């Protein structure tokens, strides 16, 4: 099964473990992910609030590249924000001839043109559960996750609004729950599975952001989850990197590791935790993984929170 692959910016940096584990799992399942050449950022979630036409053109350029390179008529986007932007742009261009004309006029400056509907954008979770299927996944399991209590966290972007078609229930998704049961894990009830993590709210209002993150952590803790599994780099970043901030702000003591669903799949397939990028998270996953006999080598110790000299400053609203 061959698909075009759009990793997006996050999977090259803070979510590198997602890319690493996704490629490892895809290879074992016979999924050939061919990265499109010369792709660019999807603009994340903010750019559409700044200038619509450049925002749509920025996203459409990736669709045009996928269309022209002809790897497949299907493009896989593991990042939920990228998935949303790509599917939204394709849908809106199909529904608005004027938008399509304006976007293609912009793309023409780079020798590109995109025909709406020519590329079907899909999330990696959709590919695994619907194209590969649970039976094939089950056949690959060599080290079941028996005894690991997992909270499956979908976030708000992958299951709705469904611009590219709905592959799960938008309010009570279950595809990832079923997947983890196939892997041998114990899936806990997690009522907030499709609630927003706050996105970039940490850069706008920390008080609001921390409360949104706290509710998710509390819900997982209330159901005694050992680990939270997600499909989205933004969700993973917020729940993992800001967990200590939330504890300090609310005087709580949550210590719930947040991993990508592909990392847990890889463990169940017998892949080394190092080869899955495990150990790069802020909240130490080793105590949880000890329950299932997975040892993370010492060279995979959790990273410390801090600001890299290479990092770009995040925008903040000025205090009124």
């Amino acid at each position: 099964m061959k698909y075009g692959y759009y990793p997006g910016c996050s999977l090259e940096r803070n979510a590198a473990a997602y890319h690493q584990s996704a490629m490892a799992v895809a290879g074992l399942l016979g999924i050939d992910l061919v990265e499109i050449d010369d792709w660019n950022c999807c603009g994340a979630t903010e750019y559409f609030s700044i200038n619509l036409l450049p925002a749509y053109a920025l996203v459409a350029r990736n669709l045009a590249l996928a269309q022209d390179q002809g790897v497949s008529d299907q493009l896989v986007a593991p990042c939920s924000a990228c998935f949303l932007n790509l599917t939204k742009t394709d849908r809106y261009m199909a529904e608005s001839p004027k938008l399509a004309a304006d976007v293609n006029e912009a793309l023409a400056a780079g020798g590109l043109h995109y025909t709406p509907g020519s590329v079907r954008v899909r999330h990696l979770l959709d590919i695994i559960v619907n194209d590969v299927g649970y039976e094939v996944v089950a056949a690959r399991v060599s080290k079941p996750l028996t005894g690991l209590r997992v909270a499956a966290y979908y976030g708000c972007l992958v299951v709705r609004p469904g611009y590219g078609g709905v592959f799960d229930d938008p309010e009570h998704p279950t595809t990832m729950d079923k997947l983890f049961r196939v892997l041998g894990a114990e899936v806990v009830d997690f009522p907030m599975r499709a609630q927003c993590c706050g996105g970039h709210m940490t850069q706008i209002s920390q008080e609001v952001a921390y409360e949104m993150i706290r509710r998710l952590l509390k819900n997982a803790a209330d159901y005694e989850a050992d680990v939270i599994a997600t499909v989205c780099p933004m969700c993973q970043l917020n729940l993992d990197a800001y967990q200590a901030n939330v504890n300090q702000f609310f005087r709580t003591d949550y210590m719930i590791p947040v991993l990508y669903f592909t990392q847990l799949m890889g463990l169940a397939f017998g892949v080394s935790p190092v080869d899955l990028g495990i150990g790069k998270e802020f909240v130490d996953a080793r105590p949880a993984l000890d329950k299932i006999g997975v040892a993370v080598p010492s060279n995979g110790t959790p990273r410390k929170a801090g600001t890299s000299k290479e990092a770009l400053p995040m925008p903040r609203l000025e205090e009124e």
Side-chain angles (χ1 to χ4, degrees), residues 95-293:
E95 293 179 347
S96 172
K98 184 180 186 309
L99 176 63
D102 290 344
V103 167
N104 277 316
E105 182 180 358
L107 293 179
L112 294 171
H113 181 279
Y114 179 63
T115 302
S118 62
V119 175
R120 181 187 177 193
V121 181
R122 301 176 66 188
H123 195 278
L124 182 60
L125 177 62
D126 178 19
I127 297 294
I128 289 174
V129 301
N130 290 312
D131 288 10
V132 176
Y134 296 113
E135 290 186 4
V136 173
V137 171
R140 272 289 176 185
V141 175
S142 59
K143 294 185 177 180
L145 306 180
T146 307
L148 188 68
R149 294 174 60 84
V150 179
Y153 180 46
Y154 299 78
C156 63
L157 298 180
V158 71
V159 293
R160 56 180 182 269
Y163 292 118
V166 178
F167 68 90
D168 208 338
D169 187 285
E171 296 300 329
H172 191 75
T174 58
T175 50
M176 194 161 40
D177 296 59
K178 295 175 183 176
L179 180 63
F180 290 136
R181 291 191 181 98
V182 166
L183 300 178
E186 181 180 350
V187 181
V188 304
D189 193 11
F190 191 43
M192 297 192 70
R193 66 187 64 197
Q195 297 298 306
C196 181
C197 71
H200 288 121
M201 183 59 69
T202 51
Q203 310 305 317
I204 301 170
S205 171
Q206 289 188 343
E207 183 176 356
V208 173
Y210 292 167
E211 171 58 17
M212 295 181 76
I213 297 169
R214 183 199 66 81
R215 291 188 301 169
L216 292 165
L217 295 173
K218 181 181 185 301
N219 196 215
D222 285 347
Y223 287 92
E224 300 180 343
D226 296 318
V227 61
I228 297 173
T230 184
V231 297
C232 173
M234 187 79 257
C235 295
Q236 197 281 336
L237 176 69
N238 277 342
L239 271 64
D240 180 40
Y242 289 98
Q243 198 165 146
N245 301 68
V246 169
N247 284 333
Q248 183 178 20
F249 191 85
F250 292 103
R251 300 182 184 277
T252 49
D253 58 354
Y254 300 118
M255 286 293 291
I256 308 173
V258 186
L259 299 176
Y260 294 105
F261 82 105
T262 45
Q263 291 179 302
L264 292 181
M265 289 185 70
L267 290 177
F269 292 171
V271 181
S272 162
V274 172
D275 292 337
L276 298 169
I278 294 176
K280 298 178 181 179
E281 57 281 342
F282 286 97
V283 179
D284 196 348
R286 287 176 294 183
L289 298 183
D290 280 345
K291 292 185 61 176
I292 56 173

